[in-house]
């Protein structure tokens, strides 16, 4: 899997060209198989819009994106969605499907219109629920699940179609300490299986700890590169107007980065 953008820009339309407000300009990302990419930026900086353009739900104002070196404009949505899954920002279940039925819905590409699920579909749904540690609430109605439990159901639903790329919009927002770790660790284990992840996040710390590369929107320019090179005190101050310090802790021989916001600087 390789996903690239070439000078990708986006502006919501205005009555005149001057009224156009660019959310981001000339963004060049490059994510290759098995990588984790974080997208950071203040509220309203265009993170969700960037994801929507990547997935073809909105058109870039200018620039292009390429999936496996094919211009995404030339890919059918079936070709794209056979390889990509999306977990939107969604905290509460509004349907009364059971957790298992919801996960099974993620196989609809394989099951086909008006067909019934095959044994292999049912096994795939059970297997992913086992792997994600949510098999215990297989028969629970989704609207009885907590936000964290439901988030894991949505991730299972996205993964049951065996994607090469998983796109998650703020997957850890609103989750408690433990469930945040469950989601972040899930991305690690997907990476070990060669599945790439892109996630929008409000937590620079999560980018520092998990993401191989990061995109930062909302500053004087868009920054993209290795997380260790671009998520630093200078870019955080430019983008968020917050003076912060990044420090490192050694735990069981592993170096873990943390970031502490100090004060609002601009
Ligand atoms: P983020 O995910 O970083 O919070 P979004 O991509 O959701 O940012 O939104 C970026 C900006 O675009 C926000 O200021 C939002 O109000 C604006 N916006 C979103 N949708 C539309 C729209 N359909 N028309 C005009 N502006 C929009």
């Amino acid at each position: 899997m390789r996903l690239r953008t070439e000078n990708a820009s986006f502006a919501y339309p205005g009555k005149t060209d001057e009224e156009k407000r660019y959310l981001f300009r000339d963004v060049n990302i490059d994510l290759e198989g098995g990588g984790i990419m974080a997208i950071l930026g203040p509220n309203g900086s265009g993170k969700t819009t960037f994801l929507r353009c990547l997935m073809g739900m909105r058109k870039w104002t200018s620039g292009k994106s390429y999936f496996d070196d094919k211009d995404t404009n030339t890919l059918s949505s079936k070709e794209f969605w056979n390889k990509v899954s999306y977990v939107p920002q969604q905290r509460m279940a509004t349907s009364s499907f059971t957790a298992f039925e919801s996960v099974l819905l993620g196989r609809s590409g394989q099951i086909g219109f008006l067909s019934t699920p095959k044994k292999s579909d049912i096994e795939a749904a059970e297997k992913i629920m086992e792997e994600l540690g949510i098999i215990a609430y297989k028969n629970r109605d989704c609207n009885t699940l907590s936000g964290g439990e439901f988030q894991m159901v949505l991730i299972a639903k996205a993964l049951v179609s065996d994607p090469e790329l998983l796109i998650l919009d703020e997957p850890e927002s609103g989750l408690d300490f433990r469930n945040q770790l469950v989601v972040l660790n899930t991305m690690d284990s997907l990476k070990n299986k060669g599945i790439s992840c892109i996630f929008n996040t409000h937590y620079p710390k999560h980018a520092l700890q998990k993401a191989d590369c990061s995109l930062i929107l909302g500053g004087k320019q868009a920054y993209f590169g290795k997380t260790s090179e671009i998520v630093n005190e200078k870019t955080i101050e430019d983008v968020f107007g917050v003076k912060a310090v990044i420090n490192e802790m050694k735990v069981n021989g592993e170096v873990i980065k943390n970031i502490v916001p100090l004060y609002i600087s601009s």
Side-chain angles (χ1 to χ4, degrees):
M1 191 301 300
R2 185 172 186 198
L3 182 64
R4 289 189 295 124
T5 60
E6 219 172 67
N7 297 327
S9 307
F10 186 86
Y12 282 107
K15 287 196 194 89
T16 62
D17 267 4
E18 291 75 54
E19 268 185 30
K20 267 190 184 172
R21 192 174 68 88
Y22 274 86
L23 285 177
F24 48 81
R25 279 179 198 261
D26 298 328
V27 176
N28 295 292
I29 66 157
D30 194 349
L31 178 71
E32 287 207 65
I36 300 180
M37 172 178 152
I39 305 180
L40 292 166
N43 291 324
S45 58
K47 301 182 295 298
T48 300
T49 305
F50 185 83
L51 286 186
R52 289 179 157 265
C53 291
L54 266 187
M55 295 184 289
M57 297 170 182
R58 284 199 167 269
K59 280 198 174 327
W60 306 111
T61 303
S62 58
K64 289 195 167 179
S65 42
Y66 299 87
F67 190 83
D68 286 342
D69 292 322
K70 284 191 198 137
D71 183 337
T72 49
N73 283 324
T74 67
L75 288 176
S76 68
S77 65
K78 189 164 185 216
E79 279 174 288
F80 185 79
W81 291 111
N82 269 344
K83 295 184 174 178
V84 182
S85 284
Y86 174 47
V87 182
Q89 266 183 52
Q90 191 175 345
R91 296 293 161 253
M92 295 312 292
T94 49
S95 84
S96 56
F97 282 125
T98 64
F100 180 71
E101 287 164 343
S102 294
V103 175
L104 198 55
L105 278 175
R107 291 286 285 189
S108 40
Q110 282 88 343
I111 294 169
F113 187 54
L114 295 182
S115 304
T116 43
K118 292 187 279 302
K119 192 167 169 247
S120 55
D121 299 311
I122 290 170
E123 283 170 359
E126 282 172 346
K127 182 163 173 269
I128 195 74
M129 291 185 85
E130 293 268 8
E131 279 176 23
L132 295 182
I134 56 171
I135 196 74
Y137 35 89
K138 183 179 169 189
N139 296 319
R140 289 257 305 275
D141 280 354
C142 283
N143 53 20
T144 69
L145 299 175
S146 73
E149 290 162 345
F150 184 55
Q151 180 69 315
M152 293 312 291
V153 169
L154 292 180
I155 293 177
K157 180 182 174 188
L159 288 175
V160 76
S161 60
D162 284 331
E164 294 178 18
L165 169 66
L166 181 66
I167 297 178
L168 307 110
D169 198 349
E170 295 182 19
E172 0 71 304
S173 287
L175 300 187
D176 66 34
F177 235 36
R178 180 190 163 87
N179 279 320
Q180 289 189 7
L181 269 184
V182 171
V183 169
L184 294 170
N185 292 346
T186 301
M187 286 196 269
D188 270 343
S189 52
L190 294 177
K191 178 179 164 171
N192 291 336
K193 290 186 195 164
I195 300 170
S196 308
C197 290
I198 298 180
F199 70 114
N200 275 356
T201 183
H202 281 303
Y203 303 93
K205 177 175 88 171
H206 293 168
L208 283 166
Q209 292 173 355
K210 296 291 169 191
D212 304 297
C213 57
S214 293
L215 170 66
I216 316 181
L217 298 177
K220 293 184 192 106
Q221 60 177 92
Y223 301 91
F224 175 77
K226 274 187 171 178
T227 303
S228 56
E229 287 168 11
I230 63 150
V231 181
N232 54 45
E233 291 159 7
K234 190 168 165 293
T235 53
I236 293 290
E237 186 163 9
D238 167 31
V239 172
F240 292 94
V242 168
K243 182 80 195 149
V245 282
I246 294 176
N247 51 26
E248 292 184 348
M249 290 174 288
K250 221 172 180 184
V251 182
N252 298 332
E254 199 190 336
V255 176
I256 297 177
K257 285 192 175 180
N258 194 15
I259 177 161
V260 181
L262 296 180
Y263 56 85
I264 294 169
S265 58
S266 63

